[in-house]
């Protein structure tokens, strides 16, 4: 039996395949706020693609991997806007798009949430995949828009979003990483959520929501609650999942 998410993944994959051009890979973009379920959703979609199309190579790329290392951000006084468009490696993003479009191999760095930085010991090589799932804050920015076959914008209730954010911080044991007690870290996390993450979402992510082919609201268990499909004239049509 399909879950509501599986039904949508099936619809998304079928729709995307009808839009495939030549031998270019299918590129599905997943975006939304920090800790809004993008990674979980993208990983579920990747597993679905691998099960349904076992002969196809499906890879998952996070736009976090294009962030400038913390040392560079600090040197350029950009830590307070980490995650904003100016904190990414623009040249690397353009190179990635070009290499995918010309079907050439590219090796990308990997971001590690456990250290909140680019992990110099890890990398990912992308070599002519059939399906690419790109998830992250930057998916609907102009640099990636031309690459996308289709895109999904995820939303979740603000209180759930913050709960997921704080839970992720604790699961990664970030208080110990920053040598802080839990209460002090919680205060810092709440401050960063409001002044960095929520601000970035309002200024640089949410305004691009209208460009997504599917607008999906998740509930507190990462299941799809509603799907909204904006037609070309941008008048929104809502579809509720039973």
């Amino acid at each position: 039996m399909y879950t509501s998410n599986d039904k949508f993944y099936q619809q998304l994959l079928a729709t995307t395949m009808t839009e495939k051009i030549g031998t270019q890979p299918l590129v599905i973009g997943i975006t939304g706020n920090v800790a809004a379920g993008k990674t979980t959703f993208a990983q579920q979609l990747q597993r679905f693609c691998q099960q349904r199309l076992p002969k196809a190579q499906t890879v998952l790329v996070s736009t976090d991997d294009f962030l400038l290392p913390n040392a560079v951000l600090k040197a350029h006084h950009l830590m307070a806007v980490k995650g904003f468009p100016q904190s990414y490696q623009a040249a690397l993003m353009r190179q990635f798009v070009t290499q995918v479009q010309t079907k050439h191999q590219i090796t990308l760095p990997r971001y590690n949430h456990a250290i909140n930085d680019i992990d110099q010991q890890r990398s990912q090589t992308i070599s002519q995949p059939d399906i690419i799932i790109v998830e992250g804050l930057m998916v609907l920015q102009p640099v990636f828009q031309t690459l996308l076959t289709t895109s999904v914008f995820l939303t979740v209730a603000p209180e759930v979003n913050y709960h997921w954010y704080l839970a992720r911080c604790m699961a990664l044991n970030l208080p110990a990483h920053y040598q802080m007690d839990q209460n002090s870290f919680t205060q810092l996390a709440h401050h960063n959520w409001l002044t960095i993450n929520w601000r970035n979402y309002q200024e640089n992510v949410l305004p691009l929501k209208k460009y997504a082919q599917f607008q999906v609201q998740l509930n507190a268990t990462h299941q799809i609650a509603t799907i909204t499909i904006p037609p070309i004239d941008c008048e929104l049509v809502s579809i509720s999942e039973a």
Side-chain angles (χ1 to χ4, degrees):
M1 180 180 295
Y2 293 128
T3 65
S4 60
N5 287 25
D6 285 338
K7 291 178 182 177
F8 176 67
Y9 298 150
Q10 188 174 40
Q11 176 191 3
L12 180 63
L13 188 57
T15 301
T16 304
M17 291 185 74
T18 64
E19 298 175 2
K20 181 177 172 60
I21 300 175
T23 59
Q24 290 295 316
L26 300 175
V27 184
I28 303 171
I30 311 293
T31 192
N33 196 14
V34 168
K38 299 184 302 298
T39 301
T40 298
F41 193 90
Q43 289 172 341
Q44 290 175 348
L45 176 59
Q46 182 184 29
R47 286 194 294 270
F48 184 87
C49 291
Q50 290 169 337
Q51 292 168 358
R52 292 302 166 129
L53 300 170
K55 293 183 180 180
Q57 181 190 1
T58 303
V59 300
L60 176 58
V61 175
S62 172
T63 63
D64 288 347
D65 298 336
F66 298 94
L67 280 163
L68 290 163
N70 285 352
V72 177
L73 294 174
K74 290 174 183 177
H76 291 85
H77 308 288
L78 291 173
M79 283 298 290
V81 290
K82 185 176 180 179
F84 287 58
Q86 61 267 39
S87 66
Y88 290 82
Q89 301 182 63
L92 182 59
M93 290 188 291
R94 291 193 297 268
Q95 183 186 9
F96 169 72
V97 171
T98 299
Q99 296 297 89
V100 169
Q101 290 176 332
T102 58
K103 299 198 293 184
H104 285 88
Q105 178 175 295
I106 184 171
T107 298
L108 300 175
R110 297 299 300 271
Y111 189 84
N112 187 342
H113 284 279
I115 60 174
N116 268 343
D117 200 355
I118 295 294
D119 191 335
Q120 302 298 334
Q121 306 302 313
R122 300 172 60 202
S123 63
Q124 178 182 17
T125 298
I126 311 296
S127 182
Q128 299 185 32
D130 301 292
I131 302 172
I132 305 175
I133 301 169
V134 183
E135 67 89 7
L137 298 174
M138 291 290 289
V139 162
L140 291 177
Q141 292 290 330
V143 65
F144 285 116
Q145 273 198 39
T146 58
L147 183 64
L148 301 178
T149 310
T150 193
S151 55
V152 179
F153 194 106
L154 299 180
T155 58
V156 66
E159 64 274 13
V160 175
N161 198 172
Y162 177 68
H163 172 74
W164 286 353
Y165 166 73
L166 192 59
R168 184 176 74 181
C169 291
M170 297 305 175
L172 292 169
N173 200 24
L174 293 186
H177 178 74
Y178 290 107
Q179 299 181 333
M180 301 175 70
D181 62 73
Q182 187 165 320
N183 287 336
S184 298
F185 178 82
T186 299
Q187 293 178 10
L188 174 64
H190 187 257
H191 176 266
N192 287 346
W193 174 257
L194 293 177
T195 61
I196 300 177
N197 297 320
W198 192 254
R199 178 185 156 208
N200 186 30
Y201 177 64
Q202 293 291 326
E203 293 180 5
N204 299 304
V205 182
L206 188 58
L208 301 178
K209 180 180 178 181
K210 60 186 177 183
Y211 298 115
Q213 279 72 42
F214 298 92
Q215 299 171 6
V216 174
Q217 183 173 5
L218 301 177
N219 62 24
T221 61
H222 288 269
Q223 294 300 303
I224 294 173
T226 63
I227 303 168
T228 301
I229 303 174
I232 296 175
D233 61 6
C234 293
E235 293 179 4
L236 300 184
V237 177
S238 294
I239 302 174
S240 295
E241 287 285 325

